[in-house]
Amino acid sequence: MYLDTTNTGEEVQSGSEVKVLHVASEAIPFAKVGGLADVVGSLPLSLLQLGIDTRLMLPAYREVKSAGFKIKQVTETFEVDMGSHKAQAALLEAEDYPLKTYFLDCPEYFDREGIYGYETADGFEDNLERYALLCKGVLEAMPLLGWMPELIHAHDWQAALLPTYMAHLRNTKHLFAKVGTLYTIHNLAYQGNFSKEKRFALGLYGKPFSWRKLKYFGKINMMKVGIVGADWVNTVSPGYRDETLKGGPTGAGMEVFLRNRKREYSGIINGIDYNNWDPTTDSHLAFQFQGDWNDFKSANKAALLTECGFNLSASSKPIIGMVTRIVHQKGVDVVLDVVEDIVSLGFNLVVLGAGDRNYSDRFKFAARRYPGSVYYDFRYNEPMAHKIYAGSDMFLMPSRFEPCGLSQMIAMHYGTIPVVHNVGGLRDTVEDFDSAARTGTGFKFSGLYPQKAIGALQKAMWAYKDKEAWSALILNATKTDFSWKRSAEAYLNLYKNVIQMVKMDNTVSRRQLDDMY
Ligand code: ADP
């Protein structure tokens, strides 16, 4: 059986009978380190709007407690067995937030400065214990709360132990007998690897947690545990799903386990928050959209040229924008290799992004070498990001791999045409432009080589010079719908299917799963 979970058709009408608990390490507006927080903050709210009884569980970090939310304690203190000792925990709840959000309070693990402690090398020394406590604590807390989900949606390695705990409890506690589990991979590059010795500090006993099940190349690997233990596994685009199964750098070793789960592994594209990214109201922009894309683009382009210190007479040249982490995954090295060609072909290049020092220095050098054509801002700069999305003509994303990617979807919404490496979520969200049929939303190139990237940019330049073609492209791009509502509907279909599977006892049997480690 393979379920098409991207189908958003008739069958999604009401989710009122579905009860889902999301468990993750971060979510806006409570705690954010990266893109995971945006997804886990937005998806449950959209599910709520579909009528699903959706709730969220996060750790009670110090920054959550001190951020000014109204928070009350909703359970008595309870014990969580952590092997070496019993940790004292309790459940808190946000009183003034539309989504029922709980926080697992255990000061010993969460009341400290920072979320993962990544400021210091590999993060907090007890990160494995901290998130194991979250997973165990969720299941201890549910009965005390008097609310039981039908499905637990666990996000990324920090919540990866939950499905295995759940599978274990299904056999021993009737209360959990029919609760399904979904494990979402947001980026396979972050797997949660820990030393073998750590396994004694987890309070994990018995066969489900034997060393054989936890290990990958001599280390505890949480990603593997999540993939093997959940009733269903998904990731954030169908394209990335397919590529992770193939292996190579994108599969990051996990392809072995993913292939075993191929029939219960799917992809659903993330959404973007159209309230935050709205050209008609965007307060960071010099000019908001008032019904004419030509006016919007030319006014914001002029503002961007001024902001970058470029000559306004350069407005006939297309601006290539980039807003990205400056890291290897994003293919910025390929851009650096072709900066000279980009300039000589008559483009302007505006790059915003922080990250790897080595690449960052090279962008600084390029900006000094080509003043008036190349601009580089090395900060994390939200207002500037909005200005680049609105004022650029093209948006370049030569990612080596891309689980979903948000920037290309934002760019399209602002009438900026994506030029992307044909991988993962970029493959799924950008449609190649067909100049004869006037269909498509951008330009894609296959194979991450400088010549390929330049070839796609040249195609974009030809279209740019044809005013009618370019207007058609802008119209197509701005009509795309990557709202969270669309994603939430796809998730609702998936939830219903998984819940049904569990109710009918149709999940991969534990014995079969045993062979998959
Ligand atoms: P990833 O999550 O892998 O970094 P995505 O494309 O999914 O890549 O999301 C990146 C998000 O971060 C986008 O919303 C982008 O606008 C934002 N972003 C990245 N770098 C910066 C920066 N230097 N300043 C402002 N926003 C940034």
Side-chain angles (χ1 to χ4, degrees):
M1 175 197 45
Y2 179 75
L3 301 176
D4 179 13
T5 53
T6 52
N7 166 27
T8 59
E10 285 304 290
E11 114 191 50
V12 179
Q13 272 157 7
S14 159
S16 54
E17 74 276 27
V18 178
K19 292 195 280 180
V20 179
L21 177 71
H22 288 257
V23 180
S25 55
E26 46 178 295
I28 54 165
F30 302 105
K32 171 162 174 165
V33 174
L36 174 66
D38 293 307
V39 178
V40 184
S42 302
L43 173 62
L45 280 171
S46 296
L47 290 164
L48 200 63
Q49 280 163 11
L50 292 181
I52 303 184
D53 185 354
T54 317
R55 305 188 186 192
L56 169 64
M57 177 88 75
L58 300 166
Y61 299 115
R62 181 181 293 173
E63 70 174 68
V64 170
K65 288 185 178 173
S66 59
F69 298 104
K70 261 184 154 177
I71 289 179
K72 65 175 178 196
Q73 186 166 335
V74 288
T75 64
E76 292 180 352
T77 303
F78 54 90
E79 283 184 347
V80 184
D81 183 353
M82 294 304 292
S84 55
H85 72 298
K86 297 204 188 315
Q88 302 294 311
L91 214 56
L92 313 181
E93 184 185 333
E95 282 189 279
D96 51 352
Y97 194 63
L99 179 77
K100 260 196 177 299
T101 306
Y102 304 110
F103 306 97
L104 187 77
D105 190 24
C106 183
E108 175 190 349
Y109 288 116
F110 299 125
D111 185 12
R112 55 180 82 166
E113 214 49 59
I115 291 188
Y116 304 120
Y118 286 151
E119 303 80 13
T120 53
D122 293 334
F124 295 128
E125 196 272 326
D126 58 351
N127 269 347
L128 178 63
E129 293 91 320
R130 295 170 78 221
Y131 293 106
L133 174 101
L134 174 69
C135 297
K136 276 194 133 180
V138 168
L139 298 180
E140 297 286 347
M142 282 299 110
L144 301 177
L145 204 58
W147 180 83
M148 190 58 70
E150 290 172 283
L151 184 118
I152 294 195
H153 187 163
H155 296 269
D156 264 355
W157 76 257
Q158 293 88 351
L161 270 172
L162 248 168
T164 304
Y165 277 134
M166 179 58 82
H168 185 48
L169 284 178
R170 271 190 204 150
N171 299 331
T172 51
K173 280 196 187 173
H174 181 67
L175 206 54
F176 293 98
K178 297 288 177 202
V179 183
T181 53
L182 169 66
Y183 178 60
T184 297
I185 300 166
H186 293 265
N187 190 339
L188 218 44
Y190 304 99
Q191 300 189 352
N193 282 304
F194 300 93
S195 74
K196 184 177 178 180
E197 290 66 40
K198 285 261 181 197
R199 69 192 190 282
F200 300 116
L202 294 177
L204 305 173
Y205 309 110
K207 224 176 142 208
F209 306 104
S210 67
W211 172 234
R212 182 174 71 92
K213 298 196 170 171
L214 298 175
K215 76 171 177 178
Y216 179 65
F217 277 93
K219 288 194 149 191
I220 297 175
N221 186 304
M222 282 295 114
M223 184 60 80
K224 169 197 162 181
V225 173
I227 292 170
V228 181
D231 294 320
W232 195 276
V233 182
N234 90 311
T235 188
V236 290
S237 70
Y240 186 61
R241 172 208 178 261
D242 295 347
E243 287 161 22
T244 54
L245 285 168
K246 284 189 191 136
T250 309
M254 292 295 110
E255 63 274 10
V256 188
F257 310 109
L258 288 169
R259 282 177 198 147
N260 280 335
R261 304 301 317 271
K262 199 173 170 182
R263 289 157 66 86
E264 302 97 18
Y265 178 37
S266 54
I268 296 178
I269 303 245
N270 286 331
I272 54 172
D273 180 354
Y274 283 144
N275 292 322
N276 186 28
W277 298 105
D278 183 355
T280 63
T281 57
D282 195 327
S283 59
H284 296 299
L285 303 185
F287 298 93
Q288 279 108 25
F289 180 75
Q290 284 165 6
D292 186 308
W293 282 108
N294 276 337
D295 292 349
F296 175 82
K297 293 307 294 181
S298 56
N300 282 298
K301 183 170 182 177
L304 184 60
L305 287 170
T306 309
E307 178 97 26
C308 298
F310 291 174
N311 199 325
L312 275 179
S313 64
S315 67
S316 60
K317 289 182 170 186
I319 298 182
I320 301 171
M322 291 183 74
V323 181
T324 180
R325 288 184 290 125
I326 301 288
V327 295
H328 190 66
Q329 180 203 328
K330 300 293 181 182
V332 288
D333 50 320
V334 175
V335 181
L336 285 161
D337 287 346
V338 295
V339 170
E340 195 175 338
D341 304 77
I342 285 176
V343 172
S344 65
L345 283 168
F347 293 98
N348 282 326
L349 177 65
V350 176
V351 181
L352 169 65
D356 193 313
R357 178 82 188 273
N358 169 38
Y359 297 134
S360 199
D361 285 348
R362 288 177 65 195
F363 273 118
K364 282 183 194 162
F365 177 76
R368 277 201 303 272
R369 176 145 187 218
Y370 304 106
S373 297
V374 177
Y375 178 86
Y376 175 52
D377 181 344
F378 56 86
R379 295 164 298 170
Y380 188 94
N381 186 344
E382 192 76 34
M384 185 63 179
H386 286 248
K387 289 173 192 168
I388 294 176
Y389 286 118
S392 304
D393 298 291
M394 299 157 196
F395 196 86
L396 182 58
M397 282 182 84
S399 307
R400 285 202 155 68
F401 65 91
E402 194 59 79
C404 179
L406 297 176
S407 301
Q408 81 281 12
M409 302 196 260
I410 301 169
M412 286 188 267
H413 197 55
Y414 279 66
T416 300
I417 304 307
V419 179
V420 302
H421 186 209
N422 194 17
V423 288
L426 299 174
R427 191 177 97 189
D428 295 329
T429 53
V430 178
E431 191 193 330
D432 231 338
F433 184 58
D434 178 332
S435 60
R438 295 276 195 262
T439 55
T441 55
F443 299 88
K444 302 200 264 194
F445 58 95
S446 298
L448 191 58
Y449 304 105
Q451 304 86 331
K452 298 272 185 180
I454 285 294
L457 285 170
Q458 266 173 326
K459 275 196 203 163
M461 176 69 103
W462 292 327
Y464 176 80
K465 287 184 171 161
D466 176 345
K467 282 213 163 358
E468 269 183 37
W470 199 251
S471 296
L473 251 170
I474 291 181
L475 220 55
N476 295 348
T478 52
K479 276 189 191 151
T480 49
D481 173 12
F482 296 110
S483 62
W484 268 114
K485 181 170 183 285
R486 193 172 174 269
S487 301
E489 286 172 349
Y491 271 105
L492 175 53
N493 270 336
L494 175 56
Y495 293 165
K496 285 182 173 174
N497 285 320
V498 178
I499 290 169
Q500 191 66 13
M501 277 167 56
V502 175
K503 282 199 173 136
M504 293 169 65
D505 233 357
N506 207 6
T507 48
V508 180
S509 81
R510 289 298 117 195
R511 208 180 56 74
Q512 272 173 291
L513 269 186
D514 261 9
D515 297 335
M516 293 182 182
Y517 288 91

